[in-house]
Amino acid sequence: MWVYNSPIGLMRISQDKTGRYDLRIEDTVYGSYLSAVAAADDVQSFVTGCYEWDMLDGTLYPPSDLSEWEQILE
């Protein structure tokens, strides 16, 4: 699992039972991805589907890729 403590709350990318990766912001799932990298890319590009996050485009600089997220071993 990877986490990023964003200005709107905790973001998590974790693998689900099917092998896909969920992007959660607080307790809401905003996307299911084939890879954790793809989920992190949507966060960096402000195209998560979470209005609170996506409207911040151009006002802050999130992690540029998954390597800048904190990895937590489960």
Side-chain angles (χ1 to χ4, degrees), residues 17-66:
K17 294 176 184 177
T18 68
R20 294 181 64 90
Y21 292 84
D22 290 337
L23 170 62
R24 292 181 182 269
I25 302 173
E26 292 299 324
D27 293 323
T28 302
V29 175
Y30 284 95
S32 179
Y33 301 84
L34 293 176
S35 72
V37 170
D41 287 348
D42 275 4
V43 170
Q44 192 274 330
S45 300
F46 296 91
V47 292
T48 63
C50 173
Y51 177 78
E52 282 184 282
W53 177 255
D54 297 347
M55 69 178 244
L56 293 175
D57 189 11
T59 65
L60 59 94
Y61 300 96
S64 62
D65 61 38
L66 189 62

